Amino acid sequence: MDLKLRYHGRLIELFGKPEEIISVRSETADSLRKELEAMDVRFRESVFLLAQHHKIITRDDTLTAGDVDVFPPFSGG
Amino acid sequence: MKNKKIKNIFIEGGIPPEKIAQSISNHKSKTGIGAHDIFLGQVRADKIGNKMVGAIEFSAQEEMANEVCHEIREAVFDKFPVNCLHIYHSLGKVVVGEICFFVFVSSGHRDEVFESMPFLVNEIKAKVPIFGKEIFEDETHQWKINK
């Protein structure tokens, strides 16, 4: 399925763009994480969280086509 | 009091002290309140190596941040007998010495506000997608890491 990865914070600098559309085979959050890490060393070397529909997604959470937010650790406050 | 409407927590730039004063004043008519607790986060002039932080520039996934704050607000109302609470956070550039984070909890008595405030502030820092970029006085930067 096609996903639009939307980078935030330091990840915008790291990837040199605020967003990109990629095509993936993954259907869950955990498999997407592994697919991204296999795709690009910058994912392997970064701490990142995934979110879809404004919720953090982990483990077996199901992916749907569309936007995925990719967050570095939060640093508000 | 629970409020189903999702509020916008964001304010562009530093939070003016006048806004904090006005928020206090807005509670005059809520006469069941006997105690307020206010947390203010201020941009600190950290020295990192031989550089001084001059400002922090905040960005956020704003829609998600507002929704997560709404959920945290609901959790506080479920967990503590507080009358009302308000959350504000800066977006954009906030210079050293200015306020970037304002949390205001009110209740009938002091114990409830003292107990709820650390929970509330820690939840916001841990769960809300906000990102701080520390800008040094020489205009270079590094990304803020929360302790």
Side-chain angles (χ1 to χ4, degrees), chain A residues 6-14 49-57 69-77, chain B residues 58-61 63-64 67-68 71 89 100-101 125-133 141 143-146:
Chain A
R6 305 196 327 164
Y7 300 118
H8 296 269
R10 67 175 290 274
L11 297 181
I12 295 175
E13 284 183 0
L14 183 65
L49 296 165
L50 301 169
Q52 208 169 29
H53 310 300
H54 302 162
K55 304 276 184 204
I56 296 294
I57 53 169
D69 286 300
V70 188
F71 296 128
F74 302 156
S75 55
Chain B
F58 291 100
S59 59
Q61 208 296 18
E63 283 184 31
M64 179 170 162
E67 285 184 24
V68 173
E71 288 162 11
H89 200 290
C100 60
F101 186 30
K125 288 180 83 93
K127 294 183 176 173
V128 181
I130 299 173
F131 312 97
K133 184 163 75 172
H141 70 267
W143 288 90
K144 180 171 178 268
I145 298 169
N146 276 356

Side-chain angles (χ1 to χ4, degrees), chain A residues 1-60:
Chain A
M1 75 180 88
D2 286 345
L3 299 176
K4 185 198 279 182
L5 301 183
R6 305 196 327 164
Y7 300 118
H8 296 269
R10 67 175 290 274
L11 297 181
I12 295 175
E13 284 183 0
L14 183 65
F15 289 96
K17 57 188 115 176
E19 59 187 40
E20 65 181 315
I21 294 170
I22 62 166
S23 190
V24 299
R25 290 187 306 277
S26 302
E27 293 179 355
T28 66
D30 207 36
S31 60
L32 175 61
R33 172 175 291 279
K34 291 189 176 103
E35 195 170 344
L36 293 173
E37 287 173 349
M39 191 185 298
D40 193 318
V41 67
R42 291 173 290 186
F43 284 110
R44 289 199 293 282
E45 293 176 349
S46 301
V47 177
F48 65 95
L49 296 165
L50 301 169
Q52 208 169 29
H53 310 300
H54 302 162
K55 304 276 184 204
I56 296 294
I57 53 169
T58 60
R59 301 181 187 180
D60 294 331

